[in-house]
Amino acid sequence: MSLAAHLEEIGRPLVDEQLKHPTVRGIAQGNLDEAVFRSWLEQDYLFLHDYTRVFSRLAWQAPAAHLGDLVDLAHATYHDELDLHRSLSAGFGADLDGATKGPACAAYTSFLLESAADYAGGLAALYPCMWGYSTLGRLLAEDPPAEPRYRRWVDTYADPGFAELAGRVAQMIDESGADPATAERLFLDGMRHELAFWDV
């Protein structure tokens, strides 16, 4: 079993915990309180700016074979995901420009930026977001919400193109020469931050 596959195996119970979280359940059912999703959009908008910085920091360290992958990931995050948030925010009245980081967002972004000081460790730390959202999107798309705004969010992360981006990170992890114990620790820490991020 590859290292990335092992991380996915140990991370799946934490994905299941996310599926049980009230915020995720509300998205899945299409009846999440709009104020909750508005707050989540604001926090995730701030998160994604730092997530772009994480990819950029890793790109600086990347072997030539994966420099383009990380530049692509930074570009997709900065343009595609942030554009989605701006568009959704218009329908929920989110104040993206006036938002400030809450404790969960600040803790998660600090963890990722610190982990990205090391190429292999940074990849393991960020994989919960890429793989986790791809997995959540795929599972939620099996019975998608009827509410179109929440359906759009699900469709974005269920998209095969997003799964392909997550697959690129998996390949980089497997080729990084990461210490398995360190990668597992950072990955599980990232998964715990993912779960805490839904507490908005």
Side-chain angles (χ1 to χ4, degrees):
M1 179 182 292
S2 72
L3 178 56
H6 169 67
L7 297 178
E8 293 167 11
E9 183 177 63
I10 63 173
R12 182 53 198 263
L14 288 163
V15 171
D16 291 339
E17 283 192 47
Q18 291 184 58
L19 288 167
K20 297 173 186 175
H21 192 284
T23 302
V24 179
R25 286 206 317 267
I27 292 171
Q29 295 164 4
N31 61 5
L32 179 65
D33 185 316
E34 290 196 9
V36 173
F37 197 61
R38 179 165 59 247
S39 178
W40 182 89
L41 283 168
E42 292 169 352
Q43 292 301 299
D44 204 48
Y45 183 78
L46 297 172
F47 170 86
L48 289 172
H49 280 85
D50 279 342
Y51 204 50
T52 302
R53 293 182 176 97
V54 170
F55 284 128
S56 300
R57 191 173 192 187
L58 293 174
W60 185 81
Q61 305 171 66
H66 291 305
L67 173 60
D69 290 315
L70 286 158
V71 170
D72 286 348
L73 286 160
H75 184 277
T77 301
Y78 190 77
H79 292 283
D80 299 342
E81 280 197 81
L82 285 174
D83 281 352
L84 169 72
H85 279 60
R86 292 185 190 98
S87 177
L88 285 175
S89 293
F92 285 92
D95 181 12
L96 299 182
D97 293 330
T100 57
K101 289 181 183 178
C105 182
Y108 196 4
T109 55
S110 294
F111 162 73
L112 288 172
L113 288 164
E114 290 168 9
S115 298
D118 173 72
Y119 176 71
L123 291 170
L126 69 80
Y127 196 47
C129 189
M130 293 295 302
W131 169 76
Y133 271 52
S134 177
T135 304
L136 282 175
R138 176 175 52 80
L139 293 172
L140 294 177
E142 292 175 359
D143 185 19
E147 211 284 349
R149 294 172 298 174
Y150 292 123
R151 172 66 181 265
R152 186 178 173 206
W153 186 91
V154 169
D155 288 346
T156 295
Y157 294 107
D159 189 277
F162 190 78
E164 181 184 348
L165 293 176
R168 290 201 215 177
V169 178
Q171 180 183 359
M172 284 185 272
I173 289 172
D174 289 337
E175 296 176 2
S176 70
D179 171 66
T182 301
E184 182 173 315
R185 174 178 58 80
L186 290 168
F187 175 81
L188 288 174
D189 283 348
M191 289 298 300
R192 295 183 189 103
H193 280 293
E194 282 289 313
L195 183 58
F197 202 87
W198 293 112
D199 292 333
V200 292

PDB file of all heavy atoms in Angstrom, residues 78-107:
ATOM      1  N   TYR A  78      -6.554  29.842  -5.805  1.00  0.00           N
ATOM      2  CA  TYR A  78      -6.691  31.291  -5.787  1.00  0.00           C
ATOM      3  C   TYR A  78      -7.791  31.779  -6.724  1.00  0.00           C
ATOM      4  O   TYR A  78      -8.498  32.736  -6.414  1.00  0.00           O
ATOM      5  CB  TYR A  78      -5.363  31.953  -6.153  1.00  0.00           C
ATOM      6  CG  TYR A  78      -5.359  33.445  -5.936  1.00  0.00           C
ATOM      7  CD1 TYR A  78      -5.228  33.964  -4.650  1.00  0.00           C
ATOM      8  CD2 TYR A  78      -5.514  34.326  -6.992  1.00  0.00           C
ATOM      9  CE1 TYR A  78      -5.246  35.326  -4.430  1.00  0.00           C
ATOM     10  CE2 TYR A  78      -5.532  35.696  -6.784  1.00  0.00           C
ATOM     11  CZ  TYR A  78      -5.393  36.191  -5.500  1.00  0.00           C
ATOM     12  OH  TYR A  78      -5.422  37.547  -5.295  1.00  0.00           O
ATOM     13  N   HIS A  79      -7.935  31.119  -7.858  1.00  0.00           N
ATOM     14  CA  HIS A  79      -8.912  31.577  -8.833  1.00  0.00           C
ATOM     15  C   HIS A  79     -10.233  30.801  -8.742  1.00  0.00           C
ATOM     16  O   HIS A  79     -11.286  31.387  -8.483  1.00  0.00           O
ATOM     17  CB  HIS A  79      -8.335  31.498 -10.252  1.00  0.00           C
ATOM     18  CG  HIS A  79      -7.221  32.479 -10.470  1.00  0.00           C
ATOM     19  ND1 HIS A  79      -7.446  33.818 -10.679  1.00  0.00           N
ATOM     20  CD2 HIS A  79      -5.878  32.311 -10.478  1.00  0.00           C
ATOM     21  CE1 HIS A  79      -6.291  34.442 -10.818  1.00  0.00           C
ATOM     22  NE2 HIS A  79      -5.323  33.566 -10.699  1.00  0.00           N
ATOM     23  N   ASP A  80     -10.188  29.488  -8.900  1.00  0.00           N
ATOM     24  CA  ASP A  80     -11.429  28.722  -8.979  1.00  0.00           C
ATOM     25  C   ASP A  80     -12.179  28.669  -7.643  1.00  0.00           C
ATOM     26  O   ASP A  80     -13.377  28.976  -7.572  1.00  0.00           O
ATOM     27  CB  ASP A  80     -11.144  27.303  -9.474  1.00  0.00           C
ATOM     28  CG  ASP A  80     -10.524  27.284 -10.858  1.00  0.00           C
ATOM     29  OD1 ASP A  80     -10.624  28.312 -11.562  1.00  0.00           O
ATOM     30  OD2 ASP A  80      -9.923  26.264 -11.232  1.00  0.00           O
ATOM     31  N   GLU A  81     -11.470  28.260  -6.575  1.00  0.00           N
ATOM     32  CA  GLU A  81     -12.167  28.119  -5.289  1.00  0.00           C
ATOM     33  C   GLU A  81     -12.569  29.473  -4.718  1.00  0.00           C
ATOM     34  O   GLU A  81     -13.673  29.631  -4.180  1.00  0.00           O
ATOM     35  CB  GLU A  81     -11.301  27.349  -4.288  1.00  0.00           C
ATOM     36  CG  GLU A  81     -11.330  25.841  -4.492  1.00  0.00           C
ATOM     37  CD  GLU A  81     -10.823  25.106  -3.267  1.00  0.00           C
ATOM     38  OE1 GLU A  81     -11.602  24.929  -2.313  1.00  0.00           O
ATOM     39  OE2 GLU A  81      -9.641  24.707  -3.276  1.00  0.00           O
ATOM     40  N   LEU A  82     -11.691  30.446  -4.810  1.00  0.00           N
ATOM     41  CA  LEU A  82     -12.048  31.761  -4.286  1.00  0.00           C
ATOM     42  C   LEU A  82     -13.170  32.402  -5.101  1.00  0.00           C
ATOM     43  O   LEU A  82     -14.021  33.101  -4.544  1.00  0.00           O
ATOM     44  CB  LEU A  82     -10.822  32.667  -4.235  1.00  0.00           C
ATOM     45  CG  LEU A  82      -9.845  32.362  -3.091  1.00  0.00           C
ATOM     46  CD1 LEU A  82      -8.584  33.212  -3.220  1.00  0.00           C
ATOM     47  CD2 LEU A  82     -10.492  32.582  -1.725  1.00  0.00           C
ATOM     48  N   ASP A  83     -13.184  32.160  -6.410  1.00  0.00           N
ATOM     49  CA  ASP A  83     -14.301  32.662  -7.222  1.00  0.00           C
ATOM     50  C   ASP A  83     -15.618  32.027  -6.789  1.00  0.00           C
ATOM     51  O   ASP A  83     -16.663  32.696  -6.748  1.00  0.00           O
ATOM     52  CB  ASP A  83     -14.044  32.391  -8.709  1.00  0.00           C
ATOM     53  CG  ASP A  83     -13.077  33.384  -9.328  1.00  0.00           C
ATOM     54  OD1 ASP A  83     -12.721  34.384  -8.652  1.00  0.00           O
ATOM     55  OD2 ASP A  83     -12.653  33.164 -10.480  1.00  0.00           O
ATOM     56  N   LEU A  84     -15.578  30.723  -6.496  1.00  0.00           N
ATOM     57  CA  LEU A  84     -16.777  30.043  -5.994  1.00  0.00           C
ATOM     58  C   LEU A  84     -17.264  30.712  -4.712  1.00  0.00           C
ATOM     59  O   LEU A  84     -18.463  30.967  -4.549  1.00  0.00           O
ATOM     60  CB  LEU A  84     -16.481  28.566  -5.734  1.00  0.00           C
ATOM     61  CG  LEU A  84     -17.575  27.811  -4.961  1.00  0.00           C
ATOM     62  CD1 LEU A  84     -18.803  27.597  -5.839  1.00  0.00           C
ATOM     63  CD2 LEU A  84     -17.047  26.475  -4.438  1.00  0.00           C
ATOM     64  N   HIS A  85     -16.329  31.000  -3.812  1.00  0.00           N
ATOM     65  CA  HIS A  85     -16.717  31.614  -2.549  1.00  0.00           C
ATOM     66  C   HIS A  85     -17.305  33.003  -2.765  1.00  0.00           C
ATOM     67  O   HIS A  85     -18.286  33.372  -2.112  1.00  0.00           O
ATOM     68  CB  HIS A  85     -15.501  31.673  -1.614  1.00  0.00           C
ATOM     69  CG  HIS A  85     -15.233  30.389  -0.914  1.00  0.00           C
ATOM     70  ND1 HIS A  85     -14.955  29.227  -1.587  1.00  0.00           N
ATOM     71  CD2 HIS A  85     -15.230  30.063   0.402  1.00  0.00           C
ATOM     72  CE1 HIS A  85     -14.777  28.250  -0.718  1.00  0.00           C
ATOM     73  NE2 HIS A  85     -14.939  28.729   0.492  1.00  0.00           N
ATOM     74  N   ARG A  86     -16.727  33.767  -3.664  1.00  0.00           N
ATOM     75  CA  ARG A  86     -17.279  35.102  -3.937  1.00  0.00           C
ATOM     76  C   ARG A  86     -18.701  34.993  -4.494  1.00  0.00           C
ATOM     77  O   ARG A  86     -19.598  35.752  -4.118  1.00  0.00           O
ATOM     78  CB  ARG A  86     -16.375  35.847  -4.919  1.00  0.00           C
ATOM     79  CG  ARG A  86     -15.011  36.225  -4.348  1.00  0.00           C
ATOM     80  CD  ARG A  86     -14.210  37.063  -5.323  1.00  0.00           C
ATOM     81  NE  ARG A  86     -12.835  37.223  -4.868  1.00  0.00           N
ATOM     82  CZ  ARG A  86     -11.812  36.490  -5.295  1.00  0.00           C
ATOM     83  NH1 ARG A  86     -12.008  35.556  -6.223  1.00  0.00           N
ATOM     84  NH2 ARG A  86     -10.598  36.693  -4.825  1.00  0.00           N
ATOM     85  N   SER A  87     -18.896  34.042  -5.382  1.00  0.00           N
ATOM     86  CA  SER A  87     -20.209  33.867  -5.998  1.00  0.00           C
ATOM     87  C   SER A  87     -21.237  33.399  -4.976  1.00  0.00           C
ATOM     88  O   SER A  87     -22.346  33.938  -4.890  1.00  0.00           O
ATOM     89  CB  SER A  87     -20.109  32.868  -7.153  1.00  0.00           C
ATOM     90  OG  SER A  87     -21.370  32.626  -7.726  1.00  0.00           O
ATOM     91  N   LEU A  88     -20.883  32.392  -4.193  1.00  0.00           N
ATOM     92  CA  LEU A  88     -21.804  31.897  -3.171  1.00  0.00           C
ATOM     93  C   LEU A  88     -22.070  32.961  -2.115  1.00  0.00           C
ATOM     94  O   LEU A  88     -23.194  33.084  -1.614  1.00  0.00           O
ATOM     95  CB  LEU A  88     -21.235  30.644  -2.503  1.00  0.00           C
ATOM     96  CG  LEU A  88     -21.297  29.344  -3.304  1.00  0.00           C
ATOM     97  CD1 LEU A  88     -20.575  28.228  -2.556  1.00  0.00           C
ATOM     98  CD2 LEU A  88     -22.744  28.934  -3.564  1.00  0.00           C
ATOM     99  N   SER A  89     -21.049  33.725  -1.791  1.00  0.00           N
ATOM    100  CA  SER A  89     -21.193  34.726  -0.744  1.00  0.00           C
ATOM    101  C   SER A  89     -22.226  35.779  -1.106  1.00  0.00           C
ATOM    102  O   SER A  89     -22.917  36.315  -0.233  1.00  0.00           O
ATOM    103  CB  SER A  89     -19.845  35.394  -0.461  1.00  0.00           C
ATOM    104  OG  SER A  89     -18.952  34.460   0.117  1.00  0.00           O
ATOM    105  N   ALA A  90     -22.338  36.065  -2.393  1.00  0.00           N
ATOM    106  CA  ALA A  90     -23.330  37.049  -2.829  1.00  0.00           C
ATOM    107  C   ALA A  90     -24.744  36.589  -2.477  1.00  0.00           C
ATOM    108  O   ALA A  90     -25.614  37.406  -2.156  1.00  0.00           O
ATOM    109  CB  ALA A  90     -23.212  37.282  -4.326  1.00  0.00           C
ATOM    110  N   GLY A  91     -24.969  35.267  -2.515  1.00  0.00           N
ATOM    111  CA  GLY A  91     -26.287  34.731  -2.212  1.00  0.00           C
ATOM    112  C   GLY A  91     -26.557  34.553  -0.729  1.00  0.00           C
ATOM    113  O   GLY A  91     -27.704  34.354  -0.325  1.00  0.00           O
ATOM    114  N   PHE A  92     -25.499  34.631   0.078  1.00  0.00           N
ATOM    115  CA  PHE A  92     -25.664  34.440   1.523  1.00  0.00           C
ATOM    116  C   PHE A  92     -25.355  35.704   2.318  1.00  0.00           C
ATOM    117  O   PHE A  92     -25.451  35.699   3.546  1.00  0.00           O
ATOM    118  CB  PHE A  92     -24.760  33.299   2.008  1.00  0.00           C
ATOM    119  CG  PHE A  92     -25.259  31.926   1.650  1.00  0.00           C
ATOM    120  CD1 PHE A  92     -24.853  31.313   0.478  1.00  0.00           C
ATOM    121  CD2 PHE A  92     -26.141  31.241   2.478  1.00  0.00           C
ATOM    122  CE1 PHE A  92     -25.315  30.042   0.130  1.00  0.00           C
ATOM    123  CE2 PHE A  92     -26.604  29.977   2.148  1.00  0.00           C
ATOM    124  CZ  PHE A  92     -26.190  29.373   0.963  1.00  0.00           C
ATOM    125  N   GLY A  93     -24.956  36.764   1.626  1.00  0.00           N
ATOM    126  CA  GLY A  93     -24.665  38.017   2.312  1.00  0.00           C
ATOM    127  C   GLY A  93     -23.397  37.982   3.143  1.00  0.00           C
ATOM    128  O   GLY A  93     -23.271  38.718   4.134  1.00  0.00           O
ATOM    129  N   ALA A  94     -22.443  37.146   2.758  1.00  0.00           N
ATOM    130  CA  ALA A  94     -21.192  37.058   3.508  1.00  0.00           C
ATOM    131  C   ALA A  94     -20.339  38.304   3.277  1.00  0.00           C
ATOM    132  O   ALA A  94     -20.294  38.848   2.178  1.00  0.00           O
ATOM    133  CB  ALA A  94     -20.414  35.810   3.088  1.00  0.00           C
ATOM    134  N   ASP A  95     -19.666  38.732   4.333  1.00  0.00           N
ATOM    135  CA  ASP A  95     -18.793  39.906   4.270  1.00  0.00           C
ATOM    136  C   ASP A  95     -17.345  39.428   4.166  1.00  0.00           C
ATOM    137  O   ASP A  95     -16.628  39.350   5.167  1.00  0.00           O
ATOM    138  CB  ASP A  95     -18.996  40.777   5.515  1.00  0.00           C
ATOM    139  CG  ASP A  95     -18.125  42.027   5.498  1.00  0.00           C
ATOM    140  OD1 ASP A  95     -17.542  42.338   4.436  1.00  0.00           O
ATOM    141  OD2 ASP A  95     -18.017  42.674   6.551  1.00  0.00           O
ATOM    142  N   LEU A  96     -16.924  39.118   2.957  1.00  0.00           N
ATOM    143  CA  LEU A  96     -15.595  38.553   2.773  1.00  0.00           C
ATOM    144  C   LEU A  96     -14.496  39.564   3.091  1.00  0.00           C
ATOM    145  O   LEU A  96     -13.469  39.206   3.679  1.00  0.00           O
ATOM    146  CB  LEU A  96     -15.436  38.041   1.336  1.00  0.00           C
ATOM    147  CG  LEU A  96     -16.406  36.932   0.916  1.00  0.00           C
ATOM    148  CD1 LEU A  96     -16.114  36.489  -0.507  1.00  0.00           C
ATOM    149  CD2 LEU A  96     -16.352  35.749   1.874  1.00  0.00           C
ATOM    150  N   ASP A  97     -14.698  40.801   2.720  1.00  0.00           N
ATOM    151  CA  ASP A  97     -13.661  41.806   2.947  1.00  0.00           C
ATOM    152  C   ASP A  97     -13.536  42.193   4.414  1.00  0.00           C
ATOM    153  O   ASP A  97     -12.455  42.567   4.878  1.00  0.00           O
ATOM    154  CB  ASP A  97     -13.945  43.061   2.108  1.00  0.00           C
ATOM    155  CG  ASP A  97     -13.811  42.800   0.613  1.00  0.00           C
ATOM    156  OD1 ASP A  97     -12.996  41.933   0.235  1.00  0.00           O
ATOM    157  OD2 ASP A  97     -14.527  43.455  -0.173  1.00  0.00           O
ATOM    158  N   GLY A  98     -14.629  42.091   5.153  1.00  0.00           N
ATOM    159  CA  GLY A  98     -14.602  42.481   6.557  1.00  0.00           C
ATOM    160  C   GLY A  98     -14.363  41.327   7.524  1.00  0.00           C
ATOM    161  O   GLY A  98     -14.296  41.546   8.739  1.00  0.00           O
ATOM    162  N   ALA A  99     -14.236  40.122   6.994  1.00  0.00           N
ATOM    163  CA  ALA A  99     -14.097  38.949   7.862  1.00  0.00           C
ATOM    164  C   ALA A  99     -12.727  38.906   8.538  1.00  0.00           C
ATOM    165  O   ALA A  99     -11.729  39.386   7.996  1.00  0.00           O
ATOM    166  CB  ALA A  99     -14.302  37.673   7.043  1.00  0.00           C
ATOM    167  N   THR A 100     -12.702  38.349   9.723  1.00  0.00           N
ATOM    168  CA  THR A 100     -11.448  38.106  10.435  1.00  0.00           C
ATOM    169  C   THR A 100     -11.409  36.637  10.853  1.00  0.00           C
ATOM    170  O   THR A 100     -12.454  36.022  11.080  1.00  0.00           O
ATOM    171  CB  THR A 100     -11.328  38.999  11.693  1.00  0.00           C
ATOM    172  OG1 THR A 100     -12.458  38.757  12.550  1.00  0.00           O
ATOM    173  CG2 THR A 100     -11.283  40.464  11.308  1.00  0.00           C
ATOM    174  N   LYS A 101     -10.215  36.119  10.970  1.00  0.00           N
ATOM    175  CA  LYS A 101     -10.066  34.702  11.295  1.00  0.00           C
ATOM    176  C   LYS A 101     -10.573  34.391  12.695  1.00  0.00           C
ATOM    177  O   LYS A 101     -10.235  35.074  13.661  1.00  0.00           O
ATOM    178  CB  LYS A 101      -8.596  34.280  11.212  1.00  0.00           C
ATOM    179  CG  LYS A 101      -8.019  34.217   9.821  1.00  0.00           C
ATOM    180  CD  LYS A 101      -6.568  33.764   9.881  1.00  0.00           C
ATOM    181  CE  LYS A 101      -5.930  33.755   8.510  1.00  0.00           C
ATOM    182  NZ  LYS A 101      -4.504  33.372   8.568  1.00  0.00           N
ATOM    183  N   GLY A 102     -11.359  33.317  12.775  1.00  0.00           N
ATOM    184  CA  GLY A 102     -11.725  32.770  14.061  1.00  0.00           C
ATOM    185  C   GLY A 102     -10.637  31.826  14.548  1.00  0.00           C
ATOM    186  O   GLY A 102      -9.669  31.534  13.825  1.00  0.00           O
ATOM    187  N   PRO A 103     -10.774  31.300  15.769  1.00  0.00           N
ATOM    188  CA  PRO A 103      -9.728  30.442  16.333  1.00  0.00           C
ATOM    189  C   PRO A 103      -9.422  29.204  15.494  1.00  0.00           C
ATOM    190  O   PRO A 103      -8.247  28.839  15.331  1.00  0.00           O
ATOM    191  CB  PRO A 103     -10.292  30.047  17.707  1.00  0.00           C
ATOM    192  CG  PRO A 103     -11.245  31.141  18.042  1.00  0.00           C
ATOM    193  CD  PRO A 103     -11.845  31.586  16.744  1.00  0.00           C
ATOM    194  N   ALA A 104     -10.452  28.546  14.963  1.00  0.00           N
ATOM    195  CA  ALA A 104     -10.212  27.322  14.190  1.00  0.00           C
ATOM    196  C   ALA A 104      -9.450  27.626  12.914  1.00  0.00           C
ATOM    197  O   ALA A 104      -8.525  26.900  12.536  1.00  0.00           O
ATOM    198  CB  ALA A 104     -11.538  26.628  13.869  1.00  0.00           C
ATOM    199  N   CYS A 105      -9.822  28.697  12.236  1.00  0.00           N
ATOM    200  CA  CYS A 105      -9.146  29.087  11.001  1.00  0.00           C
ATOM    201  C   CYS A 105      -7.697  29.476  11.285  1.00  0.00           C
ATOM    202  O   CYS A 105      -6.772  29.046  10.577  1.00  0.00           O
ATOM    203  CB  CYS A 105      -9.893  30.240  10.344  1.00  0.00           C
ATOM    204  SG  CYS A 105      -9.191  30.784   8.772  1.00  0.00           S
ATOM    205  N   ALA A 106      -7.477  30.276  12.328  1.00  0.00           N
ATOM    206  CA  ALA A 106      -6.128  30.715  12.668  1.00  0.00           C
ATOM    207  C   ALA A 106      -5.234  29.533  13.035  1.00  0.00           C
ATOM    208  O   ALA A 106      -4.067  29.463  12.615  1.00  0.00           O
ATOM    209  CB  ALA A 106      -6.173  31.719  13.813  1.00  0.00           C
ATOM    210  N   ALA A 107      -5.778  28.605  13.801  1.00  0.00           N
ATOM    211  CA  ALA A 107      -4.982  27.438  14.207  1.00  0.00           C
ATOM    212  C   ALA A 107      -4.633  26.566  13.008  1.00  0.00           C
ATOM    213  O   ALA A 107      -3.495  26.081  12.884  1.00  0.00           O
ATOM    214  CB  ALA A 107      -5.755  26.624  15.240  1.00  0.00           C
TER     215      ALA A 107
END
